[in-house]
Amino acid sequence: MRVTRTARLPLLMAAVLLAMTACAGTAASRDTSPSAAPTPSAAPAPAPIDPIAEWVDERMSQLTVQQKAAALLMVHAPGLDPAPVRAYVDAGVSGVILMGDNVPAGPVELAAFTAAVQSGLETPVLIGIDEEGGEVQRLPWDGAPAADTLRAEPPAAAQAAFAARAAALADSGVTVNFGIVADVTPDPDSFIFGRVLGTDPVGAAERVSGAVAGERGVVASTLKHFPGHGAAPGDSHSSVPSAALTIDEWRAGPALPFASGIDAGAELVMTGHLSYPAVDPAPASLSPEWHRLLRDELGFDGVIVTDDMLMLQHNGLAEYADPGENAVRAVAAGTDLLLYVLPADPASVGISIDGLVGAIVGAVQTGRITPVQLDAAVERVLTLRRTLSS
């Protein structure tokens, strides 16, 4: 519908201008006296300056290719000491994700932790967390209802729950919630069933929209796991689940909660390591076609973030054993932000920040990732960072 409105706008403007021209011509024919000189039109007002876009442009002009590549990373360092997390920030990453091992006794202590991570930065990095409530909950003090309750309640209950959840996160210095599950399934045996906000597409869409509305303006909302885990049996932590749906079946079902959440203003969408072979045999996180559908068909213009990239390495398939190659494929497909839940020793899983950056830079140099792609991704991430800090 956005496309329809956009397409109609030039036609409407042309009709208005034509009517104005006709009226002006009629007036000129009625009054031909010398005193009826045309009145000079006022100069158009200059377009207002967008301070966020201006900052992003200035920042982009200062970044090297290596720094741009690092800006595509969001990582985790375990433990309650903020120093290892801050070391990643100083290496140029754009975000950090907190897991349960980063969460201290209470909100005051967590706020001190996140403040130490952000200390002295011109523009804060993204600090994310998986705070769905229920099965996936990092904050012990989050008492808001979770999906198993909310899917039986009106959409307003989802809005209230996620408003309370967002407030608790913001009070602790968290800026991004990876907490809105837009997957849908009626199957109680599904890996994702306990976390879905609805067992049918329409019901899920209503509650996803409510959840986004609840978080709006407090923390950035993330919809996951695009294009929909409910239709793909299996656990994407240890496999690449496959969904036996056509593109039209996807549009009529799993797409609806994502479209609803996007229309409600979600700032991020998380791609899943799952496949719809009728659309693309590759996992959605590495699929140019799914990124195209997300951008062009659902109209999403925010930040696309992957699920934890280590999950691909853990599925035992040789095709995904190389972390550098996985990173390149994701960025080349259209990803903006690569998520890594790293252990204390990243080398134990074959990963380093320098190695990931080097792989991305090498792909830019060989043309697998174009400079335009790289810049567009970094600009979206920097825009989100600046927006959340303003």
Side-chain angles (χ1 to χ4, degrees), residues 345-370:
D345 179 13
S348 67
V349 290
I351 287 179
S352 69
I353 298 300
D354 287 345
L356 294 173
V357 168
I360 295 169
V361 170
V364 173
Q365 292 170 341
T366 61
R368 290 186 67 190
I369 298 169
T370 69

Side-chain angles (χ1 to χ4, degrees), residues 35-381:
S35 61
T39 302
S41 59
I49 296 174
D50 181 345
I52 293 177
E54 188 177 42
W55 179 86
V56 170
D57 288 344
E58 181 181 359
R59 181 68 178 144
M60 287 293 294
S61 70
Q62 300 169 358
L63 296 178
T64 65
V65 175
Q66 286 78 9
Q67 289 171 321
K68 291 175 182 178
L72 302 184
L73 304 179
M74 186 174 198
V75 301
H76 165 259
L80 298 176
D81 181 359
V85 181
R86 179 54 190 253
Y88 283 130
V89 173
D90 291 338
V93 305
S94 278
V96 297
I97 178 171
L98 306 181
M99 303 299 286
D101 55 31
N102 300 122
V103 178
V108 172
E109 293 84 354
L110 182 54
F113 180 100
T114 56
V117 171
Q118 302 279 30
S119 178
L121 297 179
E122 176 199 3
T123 296
V125 294
L126 306 173
I127 296 185
I129 199 167
D130 294 298
E131 192 63 23
E132 302 171 15
E135 290 185 14
V136 179
Q137 179 169 328
R138 309 300 185 210
L139 306 184
W141 56 88
D142 173 9
D148 58 347
T149 298
L150 295 173
R151 59 175 171 251
E153 298 291 333
Q159 181 170 345
F162 278 85
R165 189 160 284 128
L169 293 174
D171 287 346
S172 298
V174 175
T175 57
V176 176
N177 188 18
F178 297 126
I180 301 179
V181 175
D183 306 311
V184 55
T185 181
D187 181 6
D189 294 325
S190 168
F191 156 75
I192 204 74
F193 179 78
R195 299 159 60 188
V196 301
L197 287 166
T199 56
D200 67 276
V202 172
E206 292 173 340
R207 286 156 187 81
V208 166
S209 178
V212 173
E215 292 187 338
R216 191 72 176 156
V218 183
V219 296
S221 297
T222 308
L223 309 176
K224 61 186 188 183
H225 307 81
F226 183 81
H229 209 314
D235 185 346
S236 55
H237 290 85
S238 55
S239 66
V240 178
S242 178
L245 297 185
T246 66
I247 185 63
D248 288 334
E249 289 171 330
W250 172 79
R251 289 182 178 121
L256 300 184
F258 288 98
S260 179
I262 289 166
D263 287 345
E267 292 89 350
L268 301 96
V269 170
M270 178 181 286
T271 53
H273 303 309
L274 46 98
S275 171
Y276 283 61
V279 179
D280 188 340
S285 51
L286 308 182
S287 165
E289 180 62 9
W290 278 117
H291 284 76
R292 185 193 69 77
L293 287 164
L294 180 55
R295 294 288 188 206
D296 296 346
E297 193 158 312
L298 297 191
F300 181 63
D301 60 3
V303 170
I304 299 176
V305 57
T306 66
D307 206 343
D308 177 17
M309 292 293 287
L310 266 65
M311 292 163 59
L312 280 174
Q313 291 177 242
H314 293 161
N315 63 30
L317 298 175
E319 182 179 357
Y320 310 114
D322 183 345
E325 175 65 14
N326 292 339
V328 168
R329 288 182 65 184
V331 176
T335 293
D336 302 314
L337 198 58
L338 300 163
L339 185 64
Y340 293 88
V341 181
L342 298 175
D345 179 13
S348 67
V349 290
I351 287 179
S352 69
I353 298 300
D354 287 345
L356 294 173
V357 168
I360 295 169
V361 170
V364 173
Q365 292 170 341
T366 61
R368 290 186 67 190
I369 298 169
T370 69
V372 171
Q373 281 179 303
L374 179 64
D375 284 359
V378 177
E379 286 170 4
R380 279 189 284 265
V381 173

